[in-house]
């Protein structure tokens, strides 16, 4: 029997004080992997919880930036995994997750082999494994780039506001210095009064 892989890969916005759940139907004995990472927002942390169809908690982590969890389904049914940002009062998050169910399909499904692979077939297998690794690295680097871009944009906004504030303060100080210097050199007209002669 050949196992087939189903994968859900998603990047979504998780508002402050919110909880987002996802559901997946899984058959008994199927190997599953949940991997997640917070891309943007606050301290880059989120709560994650995974439950089986009976509501038994299989995985629960609080305020994690990223993690990976692998398990084998102990029963048939709908498994639920939730991401929570309920501890945050004003910062929304962007969360990426990859939920893989089952094993990779075989490269040569029509052949039931007892003998060793030919040189061409083993080269195909090694290229396939290398390409899967490249896809994982690309996903990782895309997430890191999005995280770095978010931080750079936030820093750019802060620098812009700081520059505007400094320009305003410089303008106020310049005007006050001009007024103060003019008051030193202005000719004050004094009135003299003569007392009877």
């Amino acid at each position: 029997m050949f196992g087939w892989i189903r994968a859900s890969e998603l990047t979504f916005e998780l508002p402050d004080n919110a909880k987002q759940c996802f559901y997946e139907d899984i058959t008994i004995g199927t190997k599953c992997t949940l991997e997640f990472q917070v891309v943007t927002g606050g301290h880059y942390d989120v709560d994650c919880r995974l439950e089986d169809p009976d509501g038994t908690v299989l995985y629960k982590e609080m305020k994690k930036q990223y993690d990976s969890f692998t398990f084998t389904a102990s029963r048939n049914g709908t498994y639920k995994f939730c991401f929570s940002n309920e501890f945050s009062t004003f910062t929304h998050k962007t969360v990426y997750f990859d939920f893989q169910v089952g094993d990779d399909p075989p490269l040569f499904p029509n052949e039931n082999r007892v003998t060793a692979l030919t040189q061409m077939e083993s080269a195909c297998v090694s290229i396939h494994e290398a390409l899967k690794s490249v896809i994982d690295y690309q996903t990782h680097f895309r997430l890191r780039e999005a995280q770095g871009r978010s931080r750079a944009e936030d820093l750019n906004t802060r620098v812009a506001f700081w520059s505007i504030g400094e320009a305003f303060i410089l303008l106020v100080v310049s005007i006050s210095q001009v007024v103060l210097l003019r008051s030193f050199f202005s000719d004050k007209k004094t009135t003299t009064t003569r007392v009877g002669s």
Side-chain angles (χ1 to χ4, degrees):
M1 180 173 158
F2 298 114
W4 300 97
I5 191 166
R6 289 189 328 257
S8 301
E9 191 173 354
L10 183 65
T11 302
F12 66 97
E13 292 258 340
L14 185 61
D16 51 308
N17 287 322
K19 180 178 181 181
Q20 181 72 46
C21 294
F22 300 90
Y23 302 88
E24 184 72 38
D25 291 326
I26 303 172
T27 57
I28 191 167
T30 305
K31 182 181 172 186
C32 307
T33 302
L34 171 64
E35 183 178 337
F36 68 93
Q37 179 178 348
V38 179
V39 181
T40 62
H43 294 290
Y44 299 91
D45 54 354
V46 72
D47 297 343
C48 182
R49 180 183 179 107
L50 174 68
E51 297 177 2
D52 71 2
D54 295 333
T56 305
V57 177
L58 301 176
Y59 171 82
K60 180 180 179 182
E61 285 294 332
M62 310 293 282
K63 296 187 177 183
K64 292 286 278 190
Q65 293 180 349
Y66 59 89
D67 203 5
S68 180
F69 177 69
T70 302
F71 68 98
T72 302
S74 58
R75 61 190 70 236
N76 293 330
T78 303
Y79 285 72
K80 174 172 96 170
F81 56 100
C82 299
F83 298 99
S84 171
N85 193 24
E86 294 174 326
F87 58 86
S88 179
T89 55
F90 61 91
T91 306
H92 72 280
K93 311 277 173 64
T94 302
V95 180
Y96 161 84
F97 76 85
D98 182 12
F99 191 64
Q100 296 180 355
V101 178
D103 296 317
D104 285 335
L107 263 171
F108 307 106
N110 296 332
E111 297 186 23
N112 189 2
R113 292 193 171 251
V114 181
T115 61
L117 297 174
T118 65
Q119 187 175 3
M120 180 69 83
E121 290 170 338
S122 63
C124 287
V125 169
S126 66
I127 289 171
H128 177 71
E129 293 299 320
L131 287 176
K132 284 192 333 189
S133 177
V134 166
I135 289 170
D136 288 342
Y137 281 128
Q138 283 180 331
T139 301
H140 173 73
F141 287 127
R142 263 191 246 116
L143 292 173
R144 297 289 291 176
E145 185 270 333
Q147 200 172 45
R149 182 177 186 85
S150 172
R151 285 185 179 171
E153 288 175 353
D154 183 45
L155 182 62
N156 184 35
T157 303
R158 289 181 186 188
V159 168
F161 284 133
W162 182 258
S163 298
I164 291 170
E166 277 187 335
F168 179 73
I169 290 171
L170 185 64
L171 183 66
V172 169
V173 168
S174 299
I175 291 172
S176 63
Q177 284 180 345
V178 167
V179 169
L180 183 65
L181 284 174
R182 285 181 109 187
S183 71
F184 286 151
F185 296 109
S186 66
D187 188 21
K188 293 183 181 178
K189 295 187 179 182
T190 57
T191 56
T192 57
T193 56
R194 291 187 183 193
V195 179
S197 31

